[in-house]
Amino acid sequence: MADSHGPSGSAGDGAGDEEVPVSGEVVPDKFSSDEVFQRIVADADHEITSGARELFFSALAGGFAITITLLVYASMVPKTESKILAAMLYPIGFIYIIIGGYQLYTENTLPPVALTLERLASIPALLRHWGIVAAGNFAGGAIGAIVLAYGGVFSPEAATVAADLATKGVYETSNLELFFKGAFAGLIVAGVVWMNFAARDTITRLAVVYLAFLCIPLANLFHVVVSFTEAVYLMLVGDLGFLLAMTDFVIPVMLGNTVGGVVLVTIVNYYQTTEDRLATARFEHVRRLSVREWLLGNLAGRSYVPLVDTVEDFVRDPESYRVLVPIANPRTESGLVELACTLASTRKKGTVHVAHVVQAPKQSKAADDRRQRERIVEESSTQLEDIERIGERYDVTFETSTIVSHRSFEEVFDRANRTRPDLVLMNWEKHGLWASARAERPLAELTNQLPADFLVVKDRGGDCSRMLVPTAGGPASDLSAEIARGLREATGGEITLLHVADPGQQEAGEAFLSEWAEGHDLADATRIVDDSGDIEGVIEREAADHTMVMLGATEQGILARLVTDSLHLNVVDDVDSTVLLTERETDRSFTERLFGAGRRNK
């Protein structure tokens, strides 16, 4: 990815966000197709990175709002002989949803699809988004149908009309007719979304939404969320079966809505824009997902591109030892960078890459403003100047970059997957990078598929003159030994090995520790064996005489336990020395990642 100080261009929400024109410049009275597309992509970026809870409940509110459409339409039909008059209030539920910003499945055939077409989001991420929104819409529609069926809201005449609506769809309309009627309805909804982003004021948006959705009842078309609500209502008051309702009504309409929105509007509008459609959008210079990442999402790597990433493409030197240091605050995490440089300096070709991760608000106009993003990157560059001076004091290659994203913790894994460092050094703070962890997949999967060795530091001065390395064997202890040897080489510090054996197993414990020390080139280190079985108590006792303690991951893994706040090693908080939590790179096959439990085996 090319180095950049932030994308140019604006993707604001209205005319108030536009650049001030130069005197004499002609101000267009409408957005170009490229500008509309840029606004859609910016909005889709917010949506596709939202958490499942946010999406579901926004969609739930949208599904329930559809109930208003069914209520007023069924209530108006018995009161007038004119179909046009009966349909006059049909769009009211859709107005609530679109103007109110709720999630609607058919709306999402445009913005997230546009992001996916640009290979800025993966197909699995799109399907996840669709699935959550559809589930929320259907749940909201079902709740509304229950209220209408048992709440006494309908008059007898209106109740008959409401039941007839689903009856006509299930029994009087073929699946093929439902599909094509649904396709035209999908075209209308996606077209409304496109025009909504092209409009400059709320009155225009309101008129567009009203007139477009008025066409659905007048043309006898079908919208999937309305159809689902009608079907549930008939199931409750009539004898319609769920399977029949889905196969002969809801699913054909849903397929039609999806094809109409995606094919007839989104793709057509996408290809009528120019090749430079994103040249002034927030994703300028961003490296798009590879075809494999695009098709497989997180199973193959990244599934989402951050707002700004100033890292340069580089050719990896196979002989270099790369240390990635993601930081949230350059002013307070200089000690972490010092430690990274110390470790890298013991290697023949040590490289330290400091990535400043800045989390952008998910729902903020400032996050959409090019100038604001440029200011963020400029400020980050200024803060990183002091960090760069640290690198100058060591015999290492030193690099810095800035990441601006709605996510933060997940970006660490994306960067590690992309650049494949040998070691990732992170600071552990209560309100650090983990505080905003919102994984697109379960955190257990994210943190148990490590692309590199991880070292999480609880910094209390960084003194490594007396290092304590508890071990019971295993890959994480191997990493602890490697880190301890590197720090000893760089600083001349002393190493003490500790093994806590089961009660009565003193001799076996000594034999184990002696063999382990020999195998890890630490035969000259001081050794302590305790057979009390009290692991935490012994570590706390011995830590009192040491300046640094190294603890290896066990069972679920250090990172997963930190992120989910389930780390029960009281020693981390109880000792006064610096604590290093080590976790070795994991190598899980594609099959294990696809069908596995998403966590380490004990």
Side-chain angles (χ1 to χ4, degrees), residues 194-248:
W194 182 274
M195 290 185 287
N196 188 42
F197 282 99
R200 288 181 175 268
D201 59 83
T202 303
I203 298 300
T204 303
R205 293 187 179 108
L206 182 62
V208 168
V209 172
Y210 179 80
L211 292 174
F213 281 101
L214 189 61
C215 296
I216 292 179
L218 294 180
N220 196 28
L221 304 179
F222 293 93
H223 184 279
V224 62
V225 183
V226 179
S227 298
F228 181 83
T229 305
E230 294 169 352
V232 172
Y233 180 82
L234 185 57
M235 281 185 257
L236 296 172
V237 302
D239 57 358
L240 177 62
F242 177 79
L243 184 60
L244 180 63
M246 295 300 293
T247 58
D248 284 24

Side-chain angles (χ1 to χ4, degrees), residues 89-367:
L89 293 179
Y90 180 91
I92 186 66
F94 296 97
I95 292 174
Y96 272 117
I97 293 170
I98 295 180
I99 302 298
Y102 298 139
Q103 291 289 336
L104 185 66
Y105 173 79
T106 46
E107 275 190 288
N108 284 280
T109 57
L110 180 54
V113 175
L115 202 68
T116 306
L117 285 172
E118 281 291 348
R119 295 219 319 254
L120 300 175
S122 68
I123 291 175
L126 171 66
L127 296 178
R128 162 198 173 270
H129 185 84
W130 276 356
I132 294 172
V133 172
N137 284 168
F138 289 164
I143 293 171
I146 292 171
V147 173
L148 294 179
Y150 301 119
V153 180
F154 278 142
S155 66
E157 296 80 8
T160 301
V161 171
D164 287 344
L165 291 173
T167 299
K168 291 177 181 177
V170 176
Y171 299 108
E172 300 177 16
T173 312
S174 69
N175 286 357
L176 190 61
E177 291 175 315
L178 289 171
F179 174 83
F180 283 107
K181 287 176 179 288
F184 274 99
L187 183 155
I188 289 173
V189 178
V192 166
V193 176
W194 182 274
M195 290 185 287
N196 188 42
F197 282 99
R200 288 181 175 268
D201 59 83
T202 303
I203 298 300
T204 303
R205 293 187 179 108
L206 182 62
V208 168
V209 172
Y210 179 80
L211 292 174
F213 281 101
L214 189 61
C215 296
I216 292 179
L218 294 180
N220 196 28
L221 304 179
F222 293 93
H223 184 279
V224 62
V225 183
V226 179
S227 298
F228 181 83
T229 305
E230 294 169 352
V232 172
Y233 180 82
L234 185 57
M235 281 185 257
L236 296 172
V237 302
D239 57 358
L240 177 62
F242 177 79
L243 184 60
L244 180 63
M246 295 300 293
T247 58
D248 284 24
F249 190 22
V250 176
I251 291 178
V253 173
M254 188 174 194
L255 291 175
N257 287 168
T258 304
V259 171
V262 172
V263 177
L264 300 180
V265 174
T266 303
I267 294 180
V268 170
N269 284 341
Y270 174 81
Y271 283 108
Q272 65 134 347
T273 57
T274 70
E275 290 297 324
D276 298 326
R277 55 186 160 262
L278 290 185
T280 56
R282 66 167 28 156
F283 295 105
E284 182 186 18
H285 300 314
V286 96
R287 181 183 76 83
R288 288 171 170 80
L289 301 176
S290 68
V291 173
R292 189 164 179 261
E293 289 171 327
W294 184 61
L295 292 174
L296 299 176
N298 285 325
L299 291 175
R302 298 187 306 157
S303 63
Y304 165 72
V305 170
L307 308 183
V308 176
D309 190 344
T310 64
V311 68
E312 295 182 354
D313 288 328
F314 62 88
V315 178
R316 171 68 186 267
D317 182 351
E319 297 181 359
S320 69
Y321 182 83
R322 297 190 63 86
V323 181
L324 172 64
V325 189
I327 60 175
N329 189 339
R331 293 191 178 94
T332 61
E333 298 185 77
S334 58
L336 190 68
V337 179
E338 291 265 11
L339 179 59
C341 290
T342 300
L343 290 171
S345 66
T346 64
R347 304 293 179 136
K348 183 178 180 180
K349 292 185 178 181
T351 299
V352 175
H353 185 118
V354 178
H356 183 200
V357 183
V358 182
Q359 187 177 29
K362 288 180 295 175
Q363 300 294 339
S364 169
K365 289 183 180 180

